[in-house]
Amino acid sequence: MSTLTFDATPLPIRDDIAAALPQVWARIGLPGTWLTAQERVAVAAESRNARFCALCAERAEALSPYAVHGEHNSLGELPDDKVELIHRMMTDPGRIAGHWYEFLTEGGLPETEYVEIVGLVACTVGVDTFCRGIGIAPPPLPEPQDGDLSREAVGEGYLNRDLAFAPTLDPFVDGPLQKEFFPGGPPSAAHIRRALSSVPDSQRQFWQMATVLYMNGMQMRDFSTEYRAITHAQIELVAGRVSAINQCVY
């Protein structure tokens, strides 16, 4: 059961947001594709904890984060490689480099788990930020639920390894996931829409959240209709400013 509710919010909440975000939040506490429910909740908890890490604060001030060594102030629920990934995503994502990704994955962190963790951190930050924005506290983390991992694998022949550090679904290959994620064909396959696609359920969970907090693909490209209380131009102004502050250069 979700621990997120908008029953006592100081602001009116759109029905689609009120329906989607509790589902996204509850999904954190369910078994994932490659991570158990306990691991998924631990990832969300560690993403919140990363803001208070002394090592991350020192790295953020350094000319290069790779020149600063030490131990993270972690909650102790996850191995060091997963903690490193979560803390870097939370505190210094703009300086993540290919050699760092290779260090983690060649050191034993599976690419599939890397992608699932990225999706979990993104959903945790998205929900927490929305809650703070409307004047309520971020919700308690869901309780881990029993169940089996789905292990929904994407065949190597459907992946592209030249776009990003992690593999992504190749929109130029014909397959069932391509039809699901890129219904408009390759022109609809923006980089952000491919980012989590090698772990399909992480892709689904993220876009269930992103579609209601932003817009769906069709709405983004329909400049003749305004689907939100502010215009396309105003939305992009806010998005561009936030991206600049967060060093998001996708």
Side-chain angles (χ1 to χ4, degrees):
M1 180 177 293
S2 174
T3 53
L4 173 60
T5 176
F6 298 115
D7 293 341
T9 57
L11 298 172
I13 305 299
R14 285 201 331 261
D15 289 344
D16 57 345
I17 294 177
L21 293 196
Q23 294 177 21
V24 170
W25 196 248
R27 183 70 186 84
I28 292 175
L30 298 178
T33 307
W34 307 104
L35 299 177
T36 66
Q38 289 77 10
E39 289 174 317
R40 289 169 61 84
V41 173
V43 167
E46 194 63 59
S47 71
R48 289 176 167 178
N49 177 64
R51 300 180 185 278
F52 309 104
C53 178
L55 174 62
C56 290
E58 185 179 356
R59 284 178 169 177
E61 296 297 323
L63 181 62
S64 169
Y66 306 103
V68 179
H69 305 284
E71 293 187 4
H72 290 288
N73 300 120
S74 79
L75 298 174
E77 298 295 322
L78 294 167
D80 291 346
D81 53 359
K82 292 186 169 93
V83 170
E84 168 71 5
L85 166 56
I86 295 163
H87 280 232
R88 285 295 304 279
M89 274 193 66
M90 287 297 302
T91 64
D92 200 10
R95 294 193 290 177
I96 288 177
H99 64 81
W100 175 83
Y101 171 80
E102 292 170 357
F103 169 78
L104 291 181
T105 54
E106 292 176 3
L109 179 62
E111 290 179 317
T112 49
E113 293 186 19
Y114 179 103
V115 173
E116 187 165 344
I117 289 170
V118 170
L120 285 166
V121 172
C123 287
T124 303
V125 171
V127 171
D128 282 358
T129 302
F130 178 78
C131 289
R132 292 190 183 98
I134 63 171
I136 65 174
L141 293 171
E143 289 293 327
Q145 303 298 305
D146 294 333
D148 297 326
L149 303 181
S150 72
R151 300 188 185 278
E152 182 184 5
V154 178
E156 190 67 31
Y158 293 103
L159 296 174
N160 182 321
R161 289 187 169 273
D162 298 324
L163 178 69
F165 302 151
T168 59
L169 198 64
D170 190 338
F172 294 95
V173 175
D174 187 25
L177 288 172
Q178 280 82 350
K179 291 181 174 64
E180 177 184 351
F181 293 151
F182 317 128
S188 67
H191 289 178
I192 190 171
R193 295 202 66 89
R194 303 190 215 178
L196 302 171
S197 56
S198 62
V199 180
D201 201 49
S202 293
Q203 169 93 338
R204 297 180 187 110
Q205 183 181 10
F206 174 79
W207 282 102
Q208 183 181 11
M209 176 187 71
T211 295
V212 297
L213 293 183
Y214 191 52
M215 290 183 288
N216 64 38
M218 181 276 293
Q219 293 168 340
M220 291 179 199
R221 294 185 292 275
D222 180 8
F223 297 103
S224 64
T225 306
E226 298 299 350
Y227 295 91
R228 301 292 185 240
I230 59 177
T231 67
H232 277 72
Q234 290 170 321
I235 290 171
E236 294 307 320
L237 176 62
V238 173
R241 179 59 177 157
V242 172
S243 295
I245 292 172
N246 290 335
Q247 300 181 44
C248 175
V249 292
Y250 77 89

